[in-house]
Amino acid sequence: MSSVNLVVMVVGLLVLAQQSFQMSLRIPVAETNNCKIDFTRLGLVLTSDTNEQALQDSGLFTPDAETPYVDIAGRRFHIGTLNARYIVYVKIGGNSVNAAIAVQILLNRFRIHGIIHFGSAGSLDIKSLVPGDVSVPLAVAFTGAWNWKKFGSEEGKLIFGEFNYPENGENLLASVDYDTIKLFSKGQSPQDVFWLPSTTSWYSVATKVLQDLELSQCYDGVCLPSKPKIVFGTKGSSSDSYIKNKAYGDFLHKAFNVSTADQESAAVAWTSLSNEKPFIVIRGASNVAGAASPGSQASYLASYNAFLAAAKFIESIPTPRLVCE
C-alpha cells in the first residue's frame, strides 16, 4: 500500500469517526455497527428544581450545540457534557412512580452506561449526618411497602401502641410489617428483595475519588455551623412518604440502621438493577426529621454538595470507548 493511499484511508476513518460522533449527539438513540467508537453516556438523575439549580450554577454542564434536549412523555432529557463526560440528565420529580418511569425512559431511549442519582434527603442520624453533609449509601430500601396487621395481631415491626402518648398501650391501628419488593431482571426469576445495594465497583471508586472532595460551607451570605463532609457506609430509607415525624424517623434508624430518608432513591436503584445497569446514590442532607428547618441556604447547600460529589464521580467514569462486535 502506498503512503498516499494510507493517508487517504486514515483521513477517511477520522471523518467517519467524526460523523459517528456528530450523529450520536444529534440522534441519541441506540445504534449497532460491527466496530465503532461508542459514545455511551452516563445518566444523571436528579429530583428537584433546587438540584437542577445547583447543577446549572456550577457551570460544569455544557448542552449539546445541535440537540440540547429531547422531550419525552412530558419529561425533558438534557443532552451534553459534564466534566468532559457525555451525559443525559433528567429531573424526575417526587415519588417512586415518577422516578421509575423517568429512569426506564432514559434507559430505553438513550445509550446509557450507568445511572448516577443525586438529590436531597432528610437525616435520620443527627450524630453522623447534619444538614450540608453528603451521604453515599451502600444500599437503599423501599420502606413504603407495608403489610398492615389486624387489631390484636402479635406480629408486626412497627407497633403503633408503642407510640401512644403519654403512655404506651393498645392502638386500633395495630401494627405493620415491612414487605419486600419483587426485582425483575433479564434471564432470572423474580426475586423478593428488601435491600438494593449500590454497584460494588462504582462504590469502591466513589470511596477513593470523593474522600478528599472539598464541599461548600457557605451560600448567599449564610454559612453552615460546621464544615460539611461526605459519609460512606450508610444505608438509606426510601418511600413515598416525606418524613418529618421525629418518632418515625427514630424508629426507621433503629429498626433498619438507615441514616437518610427520601422518596426516589429506591425506585432509581430498583430500575437500574432490573436493567442490569451500574448505579450509585448520592444524597445531601437538607434537614433532620422532626427538627426545625435549617433554612433555604442549607437546603441549597445540600443539593450543591451532592452535585459536587456526583460531578467528581462522573469525572472518574470514561464514556467514549471502542466497541467491536
Side-chain angles (χ1 to χ4, degrees):
M1 180 182 294
S2 68
S3 60
V4 172
N5 289 337
L6 180 61
V7 170
V8 170
M9 183 180 72
V10 171
V11 170
L13 288 173
L14 289 174
V15 170
L16 287 173
Q18 179 65 20
Q19 290 174 343
S20 175
F21 171 66
Q22 291 173 345
M23 183 64 70
S24 176
L25 289 177
R26 288 198 297 271
I27 310 175
V29 297
E31 308 166 15
T32 57
N33 284 319
N34 288 335
C35 193
K36 68 172 186 175
I37 298 176
D38 180 15
F39 292 92
T40 305
R41 292 184 171 87
L42 294 169
L44 182 61
V45 175
L46 48 137
T47 61
S48 68
D49 292 340
T50 305
N51 298 160
E52 188 171 34
Q53 181 188 347
L55 182 152
Q56 297 293 348
D57 288 350
S58 73
L60 297 177
F61 177 73
T62 303
D64 175 51
E66 296 190 31
T67 310
Y69 61 85
V70 175
D71 290 333
I72 308 171
R75 297 166 176 82
R76 178 156 292 184
F77 295 81
H78 299 262
I79 306 163
T81 58
L82 192 151
N83 281 345
R85 299 293 185 263
Y86 300 106
I87 74 162
V88 179
Y89 88 77
V90 59
K91 182 174 61 179
I92 56 179
N95 76 50
S96 59
V97 174
N98 279 331
I101 291 173
V103 174
Q104 190 62 59
I105 293 172
L106 177 65
L107 295 175
N108 285 351
R109 179 63 189 271
F110 301 91
R111 185 184 290 275
I112 298 297
H113 172 56
I115 299 294
I116 297 94
H117 173 43
F118 88 92
S120 305
S123 172
L124 305 180
D125 183 11
I126 190 63
K127 293 181 180 179
S128 64
L129 203 66
V130 299
D133 289 347
V134 172
S135 171
V136 186
L138 275 168
V140 295
F142 185 69
T143 55
W146 285 11
N147 182 343
W148 207 309
K149 303 297 183 179
K150 64 181 181 180
F151 181 71
S153 173
E154 295 182 359
E155 301 176 352
K157 199 173 190 73
L158 172 60
I159 302 171
F160 289 103
E162 293 181 355
F163 295 88
N164 286 352
Y165 183 81
E167 294 181 0
N168 295 342
E170 292 293 319
N171 190 301
L172 291 177
L173 290 176
S175 63
V176 298
D177 262 341
Y178 289 78
D179 275 352
T180 57
I181 55 176
K182 286 196 178 295
L183 176 64
F184 295 82
S185 56
K186 183 179 179 180
Q188 297 185 29
S189 300
Q191 301 177 54
D192 292 319
V193 300
F194 186 74
W195 293 108
L196 303 164
S198 297
T199 302
T200 302
S201 58
W202 275 24
Y203 198 86
S204 177
V205 170
T207 59
K208 294 178 176 65
V209 301
L210 300 182
Q211 60 180 347
D212 297 322
L213 181 64
E214 189 78 17
L215 301 179
S216 293
Q217 187 173 354
C218 300
Y219 172 70
D220 198 22
V222 176
C223 294
L224 300 170
S226 60
K227 186 177 180 180
K229 61 187 181 299
I230 297 182
V231 181
F232 296 99
T234 59
K235 293 180 180 179
S237 164
S238 188
S239 71
D240 287 318
S241 300
Y242 189 92
I243 310 301
K244 289 186 175 182
N245 184 275
K246 183 179 186 304
Y248 186 58
D250 290 344
F251 166 80
L252 286 173
H253 175 56
K254 181 179 179 181
F256 301 111
N257 194 29
V258 291
S259 299
T260 57
D262 66 67
Q263 294 179 292
E264 304 87 10
S265 61
V268 174
W270 187 20
T271 311
S272 300
L273 287 168
S274 187
N275 286 273
E276 300 180 311
K277 294 293 184 180
F279 77 94
I280 195 165
V281 173
I282 299 171
R283 287 279 182 163
S286 59
N287 59 80
V288 178
S293 171
S296 59
Q297 291 87 352
S299 178
Y300 175 83
L301 284 170
S303 289
Y304 191 73
N305 285 336
F307 168 74
L308 290 178
K312 183 67 176 178
F313 177 79
I314 286 171
E315 192 179 86
S316 70
I317 305 297
T319 44
R321 53 184 182 160
L322 183 63
V323 175
C324 296
E325 299 176 354

